Amino acid sequence: MTVTVRAPAKINLHLGVGAPRDDGFHPLVTVYQAVGLCDDVTAAPSPGWTLGVTVPDWMDADDVPVTGDNIVDRAGRLLARRHGIPARAAVSVTKAIPVAGGMAGGSADAAAALVALDRLWHLETPDDDLLALAAELGSDVPFALLGGTALGTGRGELVEPVADPSTWWWVVVPSAQGLSTPAVYRRFDEIHPDAPVEPPDADTTLAALATGDPERLAGALHNDLQEAALDLRPDLADLLEKGRRAGALRGIVSGSGPTCLFLADDADAARNVAGRLSAHHDVVLVANGPVAGAHVVTYA
Ligand code: C5P
């Protein structure tokens, strides 16, 4: 039997960040949206544990470590330990989500691995247990299971679905060089030594989502990590400006960056913006959201 599970990239329509907690994590109030850029994880029976990764032409395979402590290895070990069974599977990841790009690609892989291995090993882990295991693996992993649009609190791991009946169109511009999430949070702490304990709320963004109006949503997009990411990567400011000149309603840094996102009016507008940005950037993608969380695509 072979199971393939697909899991989406996330973007943050609102990312409110508070002062670091005692455990070093930052309290968040965030609105996640799953967008149609997805990684696939395939799990097949095997006498041992193996992990392989395939990347698209525009990605560097060396950026995805497959030996040691990959988050997919950790997902497999954690699920097996939870059920008291050996972790035996041949797992392969087919990447499409930028690596170290602020789109939670590793988290998507972990979520997809949990679902694929749960099916392969016939475990039928209850949803709440799977969400708890996901939270142990990383702050963004529960959302990759849930998908759609959701309010995230805690360190991002507490997720609650939000109604989002529209389809939003995004242009996604990854960067050849990734950014380290902890480094961006550290820069945030340096820039904001007096950050509030309670992160800024997401009310404006949630109200804009409910209107279905891209201009309203463009005005409401908010990312407290953007200043820190731009500080580490000043070149991104030019890219954001170029996107606006190319006709995007608004450009923002995705999560901790360096991927930049541009909201467009509709599918045609997104393709236009992407076409113009392609003159300056090798990789320019178009994605819509919200899309489903980790789900089985083939089961053979
Ligand atoms: O939870 P995850 O493993 O994705 O987090 C990666 C790193 O990002 C953490 O080690 C921490 O430095 C930073 N982080 C944070 N506050 C959060 C989420 C992540 O400081 N809410």
Side-chain angles (χ1 to χ4, degrees):
M1 188 182 87
T2 299
V3 189
T4 298
V5 173
R6 175 162 291 185
K10 63 86 185 162
I11 61 176
N12 303 85
L13 308 177
H14 172 94
L15 181 52
V17 181
R21 315 187 305 199
D22 289 345
D23 64 3
F25 283 91
H26 294 70
L28 304 182
V29 171
T30 187
V31 179
Y32 291 111
Q33 186 175 82
V35 297
L37 259 184
C38 299
D39 285 357
D40 283 354
V41 172
T42 298
S46 168
W49 174 263
T50 59
L51 176 62
V53 177
T54 309
V55 300
D57 294 347
W58 55 270
M59 243 182 236
D60 189 346
D62 294 341
D63 290 343
V64 193
V66 285
T67 48
D69 202 28
N70 184 290
I71 194 166
V72 173
D73 295 323
R74 290 200 283 124
R77 279 202 302 269
L78 188 64
L79 184 67
R81 203 164 53 232
R82 159 79 173 69
H83 291 275
I85 59 168
R88 289 190 189 128
V91 177
S92 60
V93 179
T94 304
K95 299 238 24 118
I97 305 172
V99 177
M103 300 192 82
S107 303
D109 301 344
L114 285 177
V115 174
L117 294 168
D118 181 70
R119 299 296 186 279
L120 182 75
W121 296 334
H122 305 290
L123 299 173
E124 298 185 17
T125 312
D127 285 354
D128 282 351
D129 290 1
L130 221 48
L131 283 167
L133 294 175
E136 280 187 51
L137 291 166
S139 308
D140 296 329
V141 184
F143 176 69
L145 285 176
L146 191 67
T149 301
L151 184 65
T153 52
R155 59 182 166 87
E157 88 285 19
L158 305 173
V159 285
E160 203 181 307
V162 165
D164 184 10
S166 308
T167 295
W168 308 94
W169 287 90
W170 301 94
V171 177
V172 179
V173 184
S175 202
Q177 196 84 43
L179 260 182
S180 144
T181 302
V184 175
Y185 274 106
R186 277 197 300 276
R187 194 75 196 99
F188 172 88
D189 293 338
E190 287 161 11
I191 298 172
H192 302 286
D194 49 3
V197 174
E198 294 282 329
D201 70 45
D203 295 357
T204 310
T205 308
L206 293 173
L209 268 184
T211 67
D213 176 356
E215 288 208 32
R216 282 283 297 275
L217 184 61
L221 297 171
H222 175 92
N223 181 0
D224 276 341
L225 291 181
Q226 177 156 315
E227 196 182 348
L230 291 180
D231 215 48
L232 295 170
R233 284 286 306 275
D235 58 303
L236 298 180
D238 289 344
L239 171 55
L240 293 177
E241 183 51 37
K242 261 189 242 157
R244 276 191 295 269
R245 283 203 305 268
L249 297 172
R250 176 101 187 264
I252 54 163
V253 169
S254 179
S256 57
T259 303
C260 288
L261 304 169
F262 300 92
L263 181 60
D265 260 318
D266 52 28
D268 280 347
R271 281 190 284 267
N272 269 326
V273 172
R276 290 189 187 155
L277 286 175
S278 299
H280 310 279
H281 292 269
D282 290 343
V283 186
V284 179
L285 311 165
V286 172
N288 64 12
V291 301
H295 59 285
V296 175
V297 286
T298 52
Y299 196 94

